[in-house]
Amino acid sequence: MLAKLVDGYYLYCSDLRTDLLATNGVSAWSCSNRVPSEVLEWFRLGRPFSGYQIEEIDSTLSLKIKNLPEIILKSAEPVKVIPTILTELSLRENKRELNAKQEAARIAKEAKRKEIFRTATLKNVALKVAYLGWKYDGLARQINTNDTIEEILLRACEKCALIYTARDYKITRCGRTDKGVSAFTQVISLYLRSKTAEGETDPEKDYDYVTLINNVLPPKVKLVAWAYVGLEFDARFQVLYRSYKYYFPKCDLDIELMRGSLERFVGTHNFRGFCKADRTLESQNFERTITYLAIDLVTEDRDDDKLSIYCITILGHAFLWHQIRNMVSLLFRIGLQLESPKVISSMLETGVKYNYGMASQIPLVLFDCEFENIDWNEGRIDLSQTWFESVVKTTLIKQLMSTELLSVKNIGVLCDTKQQSIMSRPFIT
């Protein structure tokens, strides 16, 4: 999180909110104490910081913010502080050079935006978002790419003047989906500009957030609904449950054998063998509870049963990193009779992780999540163009597969055969 102050100073707060750094490009300072709530509020709301000034004291060995005298930053090594802030700047600053007329227009636009947000009412709003994440780099913002769902959504809100700036804007999210994973009901919360007064919660008098934001979003990312939420609302920790679905063709899989294995996952278990450990955490709890697990037929192909589409539905409160994809991978191996269902119980009891490849991220969807006491205001979205393009592509590919020249003798290769290497399957990456 990066903030530009007056007099050429920059403040940087780490994502973990434990380090507060400052630099003027030559010297550097750091605050080892707990970051004050006022500073976190600046970063979170994306407000302009022109009213706060840095004052050097003790011959530049220390800094303090005049308006917040309790914040003292001590001298630090520039080689550690400056590169961090310069990296943030290089990823966020506009590199395009403007001529005098363009620069004047930019300054006027910025001044108008500051005036709007100086008196604006901001309210904590929950947004229900649906997206096909196949070509995106995941949900959460990253420093090495702008092609994430959060980045796209925040830039759309900035373009609609619902937030002051998309830079370093903090949001809470229901579930963090990885690269290539989709969501039908992703819930995030952030502070948006409102037409109504402080304390007033009448959706009819406020902006039509769904229509407004969807007008500037790409076709495969859409806002479905919005709702007012309290100041303490956190989409991650206040969710009652999350459900995921994983879609796949039947191929050579023994669906009944897979269904008979599901009950071994249900309940509270140690899923250490089915996840990737998060190295940013000093200690991690691998115990999770699965309340429901099923395999259902989605689309039946009467000409060739191997082309019928099924989905695995999994319901729980929280999941570990890559947990579902690893579970699906093992279920595929059981369905192909490469493993015994007893392996599930063994992995849950011992926590041992076998060297299985993960199931592909493409068929995985964050299907639903449930919260208490949220009155959603739903909007209408049009996905007809996306559907048309996709169904035509699917039909063309299926027709190509049925030609005599490119006939598929064994459709089971889509998942696995006993002759294949474990890492060669399209559904295992």
Side-chain angles (χ1 to χ4, degrees):
M1 298 186 291
L2 187 67
K4 183 177 181 180
L5 303 184
V6 297
D7 303 326
Y9 286 91
Y10 289 90
L11 278 180
Y12 174 78
C13 182
S14 69
D15 289 337
L16 297 178
R17 303 183 177 182
T18 56
D19 300 314
L20 182 64
L21 310 175
T23 184
N24 58 2
V26 178
S27 302
W29 299 265
S30 65
C31 177
S32 58
N33 298 330
R34 182 177 177 84
V35 180
S37 59
E38 294 90 341
V39 175
L40 294 178
E41 191 73 4
W42 294 347
F43 290 114
R44 184 170 61 83
L45 296 180
R47 294 276 194 172
F49 312 123
S50 56
Y52 299 89
Q53 297 181 1
I54 288 286
E55 180 181 358
E56 296 181 355
I57 56 178
D58 302 332
S59 300
T60 73
L61 294 178
S62 302
L63 289 181
K64 71 176 182 179
I65 300 178
K66 291 181 179 179
N67 304 59
L68 301 171
E70 70 275 15
I71 302 179
I72 302 295
L73 298 102
K74 300 293 185 180
S75 179
E77 294 184 41
V79 293
K80 294 183 178 181
V81 174
I82 294 179
T84 299
I85 296 182
L86 289 181
T87 300
E88 292 284 330
L89 281 173
S90 66
L91 293 169
R92 289 167 170 77
E93 289 293 320
N94 190 354
K95 302 293 193 305
R96 185 168 61 93
E97 294 185 3
L98 304 177
N99 57 38
K101 185 176 180 179
Q102 291 172 327
E103 181 65 18
R106 186 194 66 79
I107 293 175
K109 184 178 180 180
E110 184 69 14
K112 182 179 180 180
R113 179 177 285 266
K114 286 185 178 181
E115 181 61 25
I116 290 174
F117 279 89
R118 186 180 64 84
T119 58
T121 300
L122 298 178
K123 293 184 178 179
N124 198 16
V125 175
L127 303 179
K128 187 182 291 187
V129 187
Y131 52 86
L132 301 174
W134 307 321
K135 73 170 188 176
Y136 296 108
D137 293 324
L139 171 71
R141 303 180 85 180
Q142 304 171 39
I143 63 172
N144 58 346
T145 177
N146 289 327
D147 208 15
T148 64
I149 302 300
E150 283 186 0
E151 186 74 31
I152 292 169
L153 187 61
L154 288 174
R155 291 191 181 278
C157 291
E158 179 183 341
K159 190 171 184 179
C160 297
L162 297 176
I163 61 176
Y164 180 74
T165 176
R167 277 180 265 174
D168 310 298
Y169 207 88
K170 299 302 289 184
I171 70 175
T172 67
R173 63 184 77 90
C174 172
R176 179 169 178 167
T177 55
D178 293 330
K179 179 177 180 180
V181 178
S182 302
F184 293 169
T185 312
Q186 175 70 262
V187 175
I188 69 171
S189 67
L190 70 167
Y191 283 78
L192 298 180
R193 186 164 66 95
S194 173
K195 288 170 61 177
T196 57
E198 192 72 35
E200 185 179 1
T201 56
D202 187 353
E204 297 296 329
K205 297 180 180 179
D206 216 327
Y207 294 109
D208 181 359
Y209 290 116
V210 172
T211 302
L212 194 61
I213 297 175
N214 280 341
N215 284 337
V216 293
L217 284 175
K220 291 181 174 61
V221 181
K222 292 298 177 184
L223 181 61
V224 178
W226 68 277
Y228 297 116
V229 290
L231 297 178
E232 303 302 321
F233 178 80
D234 190 299
R236 178 185 177 187
F237 295 108
Q238 292 180 231
V239 64
L240 299 178
Y241 68 81
R242 300 172 176 88
S243 69
Y244 285 83
K245 287 183 180 290
Y246 194 97
Y247 297 84
F248 63 95
K250 181 179 181 297
C251 302
D252 286 337
L253 295 169
D254 186 335
I255 300 298
E256 293 307 315
L257 183 58
M258 293 170 64
R259 283 174 173 157
S261 307
L262 298 181
E263 63 180 13
R264 297 174 184 267
F265 282 117
V266 178
T268 302
H269 303 285
N270 176 9
F271 285 92
R272 176 65 184 89
F274 292 89
C275 75
K276 181 177 181 180
D278 189 346
R279 296 183 179 181
T280 63
L281 302 177
E282 293 184 4
S283 60
Q284 187 174 3
N285 178 20
F286 298 103
E287 191 173 271
R288 293 294 186 271
T289 300
I290 294 178
T291 57
Y292 177 81
L293 194 57
I295 299 177
D296 300 301
L297 176 65
V298 178
T299 305
E300 182 180 7
D301 192 305
R302 296 183 178 180
D303 296 329
D304 189 343
D305 183 51
K306 292 184 177 181
L307 294 178
S308 297
I309 302 298
Y310 288 78
C311 81
I312 300 172
T313 302
I314 179 170
L315 180 69
H317 179 264
F319 298 92
L320 296 163
W321 194 4
H322 293 165
Q323 176 186 339
I324 295 177
R325 291 169 61 189
N326 280 304
M327 290 170 57
V328 171
S329 175
L330 183 54
L331 285 173
F332 281 163
R333 293 183 60 80
I334 292 172
L336 294 162
Q337 301 182 22
L338 298 177
E339 296 287 355
S340 166
K342 296 180 180 180
V343 174
I344 297 176
S345 301
S346 175
M347 293 177 67
L348 293 175
E349 291 172 3
T350 63
V352 174
K353 185 175 184 179
Y354 296 129
N355 190 26
Y356 298 148
M358 283 194 301
S360 169
Q361 71 275 21
I362 300 300
L364 181 60
V365 178
L366 172 57
F367 189 78
D368 194 14
C369 53
E370 184 65 28
F371 295 85
E372 279 186 330
N373 303 321
I374 294 186
D375 187 13
W376 293 105
N377 304 287
E378 298 182 349
R380 297 187 64 181
I381 61 174
D382 184 8
L383 294 175
S384 57
Q385 183 64 30
T386 301
W387 172 85
F388 173 79
E389 293 176 356
S390 300
V391 76
V392 169
K393 289 178 181 178
T394 301
T395 302
L396 290 176
I397 294 171
K398 191 172 181 180
Q399 289 296 313
L400 181 62
M401 290 169 59
S402 64
T403 62
E404 184 177 353
L405 181 62
L406 296 173
S407 60
V408 179
K409 297 180 180 179
N410 182 9
I411 197 65
V413 299
L414 288 175
C415 280
D416 200 349
T417 65
K418 295 182 179 180
Q419 289 74 31
Q420 280 186 294
S421 164
I422 183 174
M423 300 304 291
S424 66
R425 305 191 294 277
F427 272 84
I428 300 295
T429 59

